[in-house]
Amino acid sequence: TQLLEQSPQFLSIQEGENLTVYCNSSSVFSSLQWYRQEPGEGPVLLVTVVTGGEVKKLKRLTFQFGDARKDSSLHITAAQPGDTGLYLCAGAGTSGSRLTFGEGTQLTVNP
Amino acid sequence: NAGVMQNPRHLVRRRGQEARLRCSPMKGHSHVYWYRQLPEEGLKFMVYLQKENIIDESGMPKERFSAEFPKEGPSILRIQQVVRGDSAAYFCASSPSVSLNSPLHFGNGTRLTVT
């Protein structure tokens, strides 16, 4: 079973601060996706990273896939209250038919 | 273009009753996944279906739980003789492709409460 560990589990910061969320595994993934989920809604895809070492930017969000394709990070610059939500990483195994999700990082950005 | 539709949004059942959760995938999507989520936790895979076929049900309890995705109509997740531990949010996701590099499109879930 491929497991993904996310850290931190909870993060509460002030508006304007920077933060990094980590997603780690001992397994290799063919790709990794990041989702954001708001209360009462389903997760919404933010980005997919496929190549080891890949870096993708989405406005103030920067996603990185580890060289060995076992880990990933999400960095948010100048966080805003609208960034509040549950951030989930999900890995696609090198074999298998489904995505494995991490436990999520609950981010709260206070105004 | 409608997204993934799940109904009902909220479902309350007494212990021992049956729960039926419905999911209509996005138009053109023939791959459906069901996930379960407890409060402030990640999503746990339950089952993956294509039209009329169960591809992977390794995450679904062998007893009381079943899923189908008929040729016509929505995918159904059925829980028989519900117990309090079945209380959770159940999310359905669809994809146009078998490739896991394709994004999953999630519905807004069905929140099941067993009293």
Side-chain angles (χ1 to χ4, degrees), chain A residues 63-85:
Chain A
F63 304 85
Q64 185 163 7
F65 201 12
D67 291 340
R69 292 187 289 134
K70 293 182 178 181
D71 55 84
S72 181
S73 64
L74 158 60
H75 182 78
I76 302 179
T77 304
Q80 300 176 1
D83 295 328
T84 293

Side-chain angles (χ1 to χ4, degrees), chain A residues 84-108:
Chain A
T84 293
L86 179 67
Y87 288 82
L88 296 159
C89 65
T94 52
S95 63
S97 57
R98 81 314 245 285
L99 286 178
T100 299
F101 279 82
E103 294 295 309
T105 293
Q106 181 62 54
L107 172 65
T108 303

Side-chain angles (χ1 to χ4, degrees), chain B residues 8-28:
Chain B
R9 288 295 305 273
H10 300 274
L11 182 61
V12 179
R13 285 287 179 267
R14 286 196 291 270
R15 279 179 298 170
Q17 291 185 319
E18 178 180 289
R20 277 184 180 242
L21 288 62
R22 295 174 188 79
C23 169
S24 295
M26 285 185 70
K27 187 176 181 180

Side-chain angles (χ1 to χ4, degrees), chain A residues 2-65:
Chain A
Q2 295 178 304
L3 296 176
L4 279 167
E5 294 185 357
Q6 286 190 242
S7 61
Q9 188 177 358
F10 298 96
L11 187 56
S12 180
I13 61 171
Q14 294 301 121
E15 182 176 1
E17 292 183 0
N18 301 332
L19 67 114
T20 303
V21 174
Y22 299 93
C23 177
N24 296 299
S25 176
S26 58
S27 303
V28 175
F29 291 95
S30 61
S31 67
L32 199 136
Q33 299 176 9
W34 284 91
Y35 290 80
R36 178 164 160 259
Q37 184 180 21
E38 297 193 42
E41 298 183 5
V44 175
L45 179 72
L46 296 173
V47 77
T48 301
V49 285
V50 179
T51 306
E54 183 177 2
V55 176
K56 280 191 174 179
K57 292 195 174 187
L58 188 66
K59 296 184 180 178
R60 293 177 295 100
L61 278 61
T62 301
F63 304 85
Q64 185 163 7
F65 201 12

Side-chain angles (χ1 to χ4, degrees), chain A residues 10 30-31 33 35 37 40-43 45 48 50 86 88 92 96-99 101-103, chain B residues 9 33 35 37 40-45 48 56 58 91 100-104 106-108 111:
Chain A
F10 298 96
S30 61
S31 67
Q33 299 176 9
Y35 290 80
Q37 184 180 21
E41 298 183 5
L45 179 72
T48 301
V50 179
L86 179 67
L88 296 159
S97 57
R98 81 314 245 285
L99 286 178
F101 279 82
E103 294 295 309
Chain B
R9 288 295 305 273
Y33 302 78
Y35 283 84
Q37 186 178 38
E40 296 184 347
E41 291 189 6
L43 290 92
K44 299 288 190 265
F45 169 79
Y48 162 43
D56 181 354
S58 59
F91 287 94
L100 292 178
N101 292 344
S102 297
L104 293 184
F106 282 87
N108 284 329
R111 278 140 192 88

